[in-house]
Amino acid sequence: MITLRPVEATDLDEFFSHQLDPGANHMAAFGAKNPSDRGVFDHHWQDILNDSRITVRTILSDGEVVGSILAYHDADTPEISYWIDRSRWGQGITTSAVGQFLAEVTERPIRARAVADNVSSIRILERWGFQQVGETQGFAPSRGAVVKELILELA
């Protein structure tokens, strides 16, 4: 069973371990410049947890911490972002978590971004009604290259 709950301090250790996976970093593309720097990670997460404008949840699968999902405001439009332990990809966890999160965070439109070759993430978003509304290019630290990123929106 997939559930969401507020983030607890002990969840950060799991989130950090997920961030260390090179394959997950490659697909996320825009993660930390140095994923193994725990100090930067902790500072980033304290900023997230201390910002009342950000809604963030821990994703649990059968009670086990498997990822995080959040919505923050990029300019005037909220944007959803998530990170799932790569060992749990392909199990429907992200699809379920996104659906539950969208039921909680009801402000629309809401956007999401995905690197153009992250087909699985794009499919998950499209399943929940997101449609591509634009694209941009940016330097992806984990890939050491400029990549195309799709901007999707749920109206």
Side-chain angles (χ1 to χ4, degrees), residues 16 19 40 48 76 78 95 101 111 117 120 130 145 147 149:
F16 183 70
Q19 176 181 292
V40 170
I48 290 170
D76 293 331
T95 301
F101 193 73
R111 290 194 172 159
D117 65 2
S120 295
F130 283 81
V147 297
E149 188 176 36

Side-chain angles (χ1 to χ4, degrees), residues 93-142:
I93 293 169
T94 309
T95 301
S96 177
V98 169
Q100 290 179 49
F101 193 73
L102 290 172
E104 178 181 350
V105 177
T106 58
E107 185 178 352
R108 303 292 184 267
I110 188 167
R111 290 194 172 159
R113 296 171 181 260
V115 179
D117 65 2
N118 191 342
V119 177
S120 295
S121 190
I122 294 165
R123 273 194 224 135
I124 289 166
L125 294 165
E126 289 174 342
R127 182 180 189 284
W128 289 108
F130 283 81
Q131 296 181 342
Q132 185 178 340
V133 294
E135 62 181 54
T136 187
Q137 291 189 356
F139 181 77
S142 65

Side-chain angles (χ1 to χ4, degrees), residues 6-28:
V7 174
E8 298 173 359
T10 56
D11 298 340
L12 298 179
D13 290 336
E14 284 297 318
F15 297 169
F16 183 70
S17 72
H18 301 162
Q19 176 181 292
L20 295 175
D21 184 289
N25 273 291
H26 180 81
M27 290 313 293

